[in-house]
Every structure is written in structure tokens, then in C-alpha cells.
Amino acid sequence: DAGVIQSPRHEVTEMGQEVTLRCKPISGHDYLFWYRQTMMRGLELLIYFNNNVPIDDSGMPEDRFSAKMPNASFSTLKIQPSEPRDSAVYFCASSLRGQGFNEQFFGPGTRLTVL
Amino acid sequence: GENVEQHPSTLSVQEGDSAVIKCTYSDSASNYFPWYKQELGKRPQLIIDIRSNVGEKKDQRIAVTLNKTAKHFSLHITETQPEDSAVYFCAAPNYGGSQGNLIFGKGTKLSVKP
């Protein structure tokens, strides 16, 4: 398995532009998580899905952020409009929960820079 | 919901010494405690985890201990090597949502000096 795949790996955009981050989870995994990592705030959970259904989006900072999972093999995180404070590394992770918590496999991350 | 606190935030040791990182959690219902290692510019990766039915788990030079009464768990790295230099994160389940997610500590930056 190729692991969790994210694209793009790097994104540089200007304030006000729309940004779309993409994630392909590991095949067969039933949970998908979107995280944001910054030096100041550490690793923050933004939203997670179970079987393509959003379960908890309380970590989404504001209405400018939205996430979708149209099928089991694809998810997007969209920021519109983007702001400089959105600059961070965004990780997608997936896991197979089964009877309890199990390992979350992280993708390589997308480094977003908003100028 | 769950609150996870991790100490220290930075740790510097000489090669060959041991390193210990400690985390505390608040929810007595928590039953799964993973540790992730993140090398510079890389993704977090699981290095060891423990479930609440055991008190200790070892994997070569790393071990995790769990004290459910005191609600803390620790990562122990023995005979440290330069390649152990990284940021280490602990985590614990948060049952505040309908199905739960992991809450991560703020991380410990470990530096192993040759």
C-alpha cells in the first residue's frame, strides 16, 4: 500500500485565494482526520470522518474552512478565502478503528504558505 | 473532554543516556495511549502504544509505562542515539465527540548529542 497520499506537497498562494488540499486515505480505513500543525499551536485536529460522514468539525477554525469526503478514497479541505494566519502544515491521517482505537497513519503533509 | 499535558517541552541528552518523557491525561475512561515520533520535516509516525489492560510495554530500546491511578504514562528511551533526535508526541482518546478522537500533547523536542 502506498500509504496516505496528500497533494499538493507545497502550496504558496496569495491572501484571498481559494486553496484546496487533497487526501487519499489507506484503502479499507474507516476513519479520516485532518490536522493542522504550527509551532505555536502544535498539532490541532480540524475535523474527522467515519465512513465518509463528518463526525466532529469543532476544530475547524471558522467558516472559511470546509471539508468533504465524497467517497471512501478521497477527501478535500478547502480554505476560502485564505489568510496569512492559515500558513501551516496540514496533515491528513487515516485509521481502521475496529473494536477500539488503533494507529493513525499520517500522510506526508501539505505545507501551505499564504502571502 | 480529555486534556493531555506533556513534559518536558525540550530535552537534551548525551548519546548513550536514557530519556524519559511524561504525559498526564484527565479522562479516567481513556484506554489507549500512543506515542508518535516526528523527525524534522517529516510526518508523525507511531513508535509504540499501550492499552489500559497492561502497565508496561517494551520494543527494543523504547518502552512505555502506564499508571492508571495517577493518570499518567511515560516514554522511556534507553541507550539514546543521534537518530532518536526528533519531536515526540503522546496522545489519549477524547470521548467528547460521538465516537472519539485522539488528543495530542504539545510535543517534546529531544536532542541527542554525540
Side-chain angles (χ1 to χ4, degrees):
Chain A
D1 198 319
V4 177
I5 298 172
Q6 289 185 248
S7 65
R9 296 291 308 277
H10 302 272
E11 177 81 27
V12 180
T13 190
E14 292 190 345
M15 183 174 63
Q17 296 298 307
E18 177 179 296
V19 175
T20 299
L21 311 182
R22 297 173 176 80
C23 175
K24 176 179 169 56
I26 293 173
S27 177
H29 281 191
D30 55 355
Y31 278 78
L32 182 139
F33 305 84
W34 280 102
Y35 291 92
R36 178 172 69 176
Q37 186 175 40
T38 61
M39 289 294 293
M40 291 297 294
R41 301 175 69 90
L43 197 59
E44 300 176 276
L45 176 67
L46 300 177
I47 185 172
Y48 72 98
F49 296 82
N50 173 220
N51 292 325
N52 315 338
V53 177
I55 301 301
D56 186 352
D57 65 354
S58 61
M60 297 285 261
E62 47 197 276
D63 292 345
R64 297 185 297 106
F65 286 68
S66 63
K68 294 182 179 179
M69 192 165 185
N71 56 62
S73 58
F74 184 65
S75 177
T76 59
L77 178 68
K78 186 175 294 186
I79 308 172
Q80 165 64 16
S82 58
E83 296 183 3
R85 60 192 167 124
D86 301 331
S87 297
V89 179
Y90 291 81
F91 287 104
C92 174
S94 70
S95 72
L96 179 61
R97 186 65 66 84
Q99 294 301 310
F101 285 88
N102 284 308
E103 178 177 1
Q104 288 188 16
F105 293 83
F106 284 77
T110 295
R111 181 173 295 277
L112 173 65
T113 303
V114 183
L115 303 174
Chain B
E2 179 68 274
N3 183 40
V4 176
E5 302 216 351
Q6 182 172 347
H7 300 281
S9 57
T10 60
L11 180 60
S12 181
V13 300
Q14 287 294 132
E15 182 178 359
D17 287 350
S18 295
V20 181
I21 304 169
K22 185 173 178 177
C23 284
T24 60
Y25 62 98
S26 59
D27 190 345
S28 57
S30 291
N31 58 3
Y32 175 69
F33 306 93
W35 285 91
Y36 285 79
K37 175 183 180 182
Q38 186 178 25
E39 297 177 356
L40 188 62
K42 301 289 182 63
R43 73 191 80 184
Q45 290 188 291
L46 181 75
I47 54 171
I48 195 167
D49 56 14
I50 191 168
R51 298 186 190 273
S52 58
N53 56 344
V54 296
E56 184 177 6
K57 184 176 179 181
K58 287 184 178 180
D59 183 2
Q60 299 183 347
R61 295 186 299 107
I62 60 174
V64 56
T65 57
L66 172 64
N67 184 326
K68 291 173 58 180
T69 302
K71 295 183 192 170
H72 67 72
F73 57 109
S74 300
L75 177 70
H76 304 255
I77 306 174
T78 58
E79 300 173 24
T80 54
Q81 301 169 5
E83 52 265 39
D84 295 329
S85 296
V87 178
Y88 292 82
F89 294 94
C90 64
N94 174 29
Y95 295 101
S98 60
Q99 294 174 51
N101 56 279
L102 291 176
I103 300 296
F104 284 84
K106 295 294 186 186
T108 296
K109 183 177 182 180
L110 174 64
S111 300
V112 180
K113 300 185 185 306

